[in-house]
Amino acid sequence: MNPKFTKKLAIKSIILIGSIAFFSLFPKNPQTTSSNSIAQIPPFDNFPPKFLKPRKPQIQPSPAATPSPKPPEQPLVFAPPAQFRSQIVYKASISNSKVIALTFDDGPSPETLKILEVLQKHNAVATFFCLGRNLREYPEIAKKVVQAGNAIGNHTWHHYYHDVTEKIASNEIDYTGIHIHRSTGAKSLLFRPPGGRLNNGFADYAKKKNYVVVMWSIDTKDFLQPPAAVITRTVLSQATSGAIVLLHDGGGDRQQTVEAVSEIIPKLKQQGYRFVTVPQLLQMQAAQKQPNGDRKPK
Ligand SMILES: [Zn+2]
């Protein structure tokens, strides 16, 4: 055989063997297999770890054993739209629908359950301004208030009327807030000062803490226990859209209040009113783009 030819053959053989050895040592990068058909792309499980996100535990429980996780529940917060924070509100300016907000102070108490029954019967909701000391005594009742779709607000711990230092106002309002959360799971930025007093330190502290100070436009004076018909007449004669009605579910026997509410709700419904919570009422005003609203007493 020609020695030149033999040498060329030997060199070609070495190159061929070398190439085979080279490609077998370095397999093709999966990302660069563009010339291959899709069928040849390895399944994800065969990709090197650097192409995969960290894997979950290897042992997958059966779907029946672990139902798909629920999305995390949003914390329940009763807060006014931003424009009402640190403001005093007496009523809302609502011109495009007939809505009214009933509010009940000084609970929760066993009387609250009777009010809840009436509200539920008429498919209405309201706002309850609770005392911290009553929340501690009746946390289950407060929980029912919120579970039924009502709003809850802060009415201080002791219901002091006298002037208070900022430290006392802080204790009274902050601890009540803690007990609102502890009993209902909700947070609230709704505050009503005891007796509606705005100058004894409570309202100032509440405003500093971004609460809306919720007053009222209709005072039923139901705490004086007038006949139910008187309470009913007071509300029906003054009802306007956006009104906030002051009533009580604490402070003793509330039979007249319960009877009055049983009359008021169906009668105002007949007139086309809907019953909403205070945050809903303020939201409706905000949606009407009337940022200043009516924050002064009638
Ligand atoms: Zn009160």
Side-chain angles (χ1 to χ4, degrees), residues 104-112 128-135 138 141-142 145 152-153 155-156 159 176 247-251:
F104 296 91
D105 288 10
D106 302 352
S109 82
E111 300 293 300
T112 310
F128 292 77
F129 289 95
C130 297
L131 292 174
R133 58 190 163 97
N134 288 350
L135 286 163
Y138 302 109
I141 296 178
V145 166
I152 199 162
H155 196 40
T156 75
H159 209 276
T176 299
L247 294 149
H248 292 79
D249 63 322

